[in-house]
Amino acid sequence: MMRPNPWILIMTILLSVAWSLERGTNENPSVNPTKTPQPSKYYANKSKVFNNGSNVNLTCSDKTWNEVLHVIWNIYFRDHSCKITFSSSGEAGENSCRDGMSLRNTSSAQSYLYIPNFSTDDVGMYECESVYRGGRENYNINVSITVAPKISAWLEYDGSKTVAVCRAEQGNPAANISWSPAENKSVMSMNPSDGFFNVESRLSEEEFPENLTCIISHQLWNQDKTLVPDRSKMKAAAKAHLALTCTGAVGVALVILGGLVYFALKKPTLLPFCQQTDTSTSKPPMTSEDVEEVEPYASYVQRVNSIYN
């Protein structure tokens, strides 16, 4: 058996090593380290509308408790702010919010913010951050409320005409108002106040039919509301107007009468009987015959002395 040429064996080994280095087949892990994946980030803006008095749940992530590292809610209301936090590291969470607002979890261990008996005080901007293994989510949620308006309708006087008024106050969103059987003849005004809307419709006619109705629709109602304008206000206004007119007429008459009396007292010539005098009862002037002569004091003293002498 022939022994292999050692030179050929050495050359084969060298060529094999060179080929391996060129092809990058070196399996040394220090040569090609594995990169650490960066955590994913997610940002979003949302808008939510809830009914007045409802119980509200707001979610910041669909991750479960065992995946979440921490959750932070920063809530900004119209006149104040508050904060609610949770951490899986065992640190005590923070809750500076009021009215029962808190963090809870569902039966599947998903975190959510619970707001009981939602009201206008809970309207605001809700900012949340949820950090979990492998990522982070941030949301800005603009939360508003749906409120049914307070409604009323009546008839009133406006100068010489009668006006039918229908009003829907403090509603969100704004209500819609129409009239029957006088549709498309009203003048409507809308006045937003503190995020709520006051809607008023005025219908001016010479005379209204007895079956005139105001129809109000709103997002919260399954059926429209129908109101018959209250005519008692118009009657009360008519009585007040009549009483004011009578009072004014009496006042004018008293002023005229007082002026006549004052003018008459300032002009006595208009009342000649006031100047007449009764001369029959007046005393006649005194004469010289009625005056008794008085004796001089000196003569009286001299006569008395002579009597005593």
Side-chain angles (χ1 to χ4, degrees):
M1 181 178 180
M2 297 181 58
R3 296 179 62 183
N5 191 337
W7 293 106
I8 296 175
L9 183 59
I10 293 173
M11 291 298 296
T12 302
I13 293 174
L14 292 176
L15 289 174
S16 177
V17 171
W19 177 259
S20 298
L21 292 174
E22 183 180 358
R23 296 290 297 178
T25 58
N26 190 348
E27 296 180 0
N28 188 352
S30 63
V31 175
N32 187 21
T34 303
K35 293 184 179 181
T36 303
Q38 297 295 321
S40 60
K41 299 179 182 179
Y42 182 78
Y43 298 89
N45 295 321
K46 297 181 179 181
S47 295
K48 296 287 186 179
V49 181
F50 301 101
N51 295 340
N52 186 34
S54 61
N55 294 327
V56 174
N57 299 334
L58 291 179
T59 59
C60 189
S61 173
D62 59 355
K63 304 300 179 182
T64 59
W65 279 112
N66 56 358
E67 297 177 275
V68 174
L69 299 178
H70 72 256
V71 177
I72 300 175
W73 286 88
N74 288 304
I75 308 168
Y76 302 94
F77 304 105
R78 182 175 56 185
D79 54 356
H80 70 283
S81 62
C82 69
K83 186 176 183 179
I84 300 180
T85 66
F86 163 79
S87 176
S88 62
S89 63
E91 298 179 2
E94 177 183 351
N95 188 349
S96 61
C97 298
R98 57 194 182 190
D99 298 334
M101 193 178 299
S102 61
L103 283 179
R104 297 186 178 185
N105 60 318
T106 64
S107 57
S108 59
Q110 290 180 338
S111 172
Y112 65 92
L113 178 66
Y114 175 69
I115 309 173
N117 193 21
F118 191 80
S119 67
T120 56
D121 295 333
D122 301 314
V123 174
M125 178 63 70
Y126 289 66
E127 298 179 357
C128 74
E129 179 184 68
S130 177
V131 178
Y132 51 89
R133 293 179 178 86
R136 180 176 67 184
E137 297 182 23
N138 293 79
Y139 293 93
N140 293 332
I141 308 175
N142 184 14
V143 177
S144 58
I145 191 171
T146 302
V147 180
K150 300 176 183 178
I151 59 176
S152 57
W154 67 92
L155 297 182
E156 65 180 26
Y157 279 118
D158 184 8
S160 59
K161 291 185 177 181
T162 304
V163 179
V165 183
C166 189
R167 179 177 294 175
E169 302 177 277
Q170 293 295 301
N172 188 37
N176 294 320
I177 299 178
S178 61
W179 294 91
S180 177
E183 295 183 0
N184 302 324
K185 294 183 180 180
S186 64
V187 178
M188 186 176 297
S189 62
M190 184 180 301
N191 179 29
S193 175
D194 297 331
F196 301 95
F197 295 91
N198 300 329
V199 183
E200 182 179 282
S201 178
R202 301 176 67 88
L203 186 65
S204 180
E205 294 287 347
E206 294 294 337
E207 186 176 356
F208 292 104
E210 291 293 334
N211 62 342
L212 178 68
T213 56
C214 169
I215 304 171
I216 307 172
S217 60
H218 191 264
Q219 177 178 320
L220 277 180
W221 299 332
N222 295 327
Q223 294 182 346
D224 296 342
K225 306 291 185 180
T226 301
L227 296 180
V228 177
D230 185 4
R231 298 176 181 267
S232 62
K233 292 185 177 181
M234 184 185 65
K235 295 177 181 178
K239 292 181 180 179
H241 179 72
L242 179 61
L244 182 62
T245 302
C246 295
T247 303
V250 172
V252 172
L254 290 176
V255 170
I256 295 175
L257 181 60
L260 292 175
V261 173
Y262 176 80
F263 186 74
L265 293 177
K266 286 293 184 179
K267 299 292 184 178
T269 55
L270 297 178
L271 300 174
F273 60 87
C274 294
Q275 294 183 342
Q276 296 178 1
T277 58
D278 188 4
T279 57
S280 60
T281 58
S282 61
K283 294 182 179 180
M286 297 179 64
T287 61
S288 58
E289 296 179 356
D290 297 327
V291 180
E292 181 181 358
E293 294 184 357
V294 179
E295 183 179 7
Y297 176 74
S299 301
Y300 173 78
V301 173
Q302 197 173 29
R303 184 163 52 86
V304 171
N305 288 339
S306 63
I307 295 175
Y308 283 100
N309 292 331

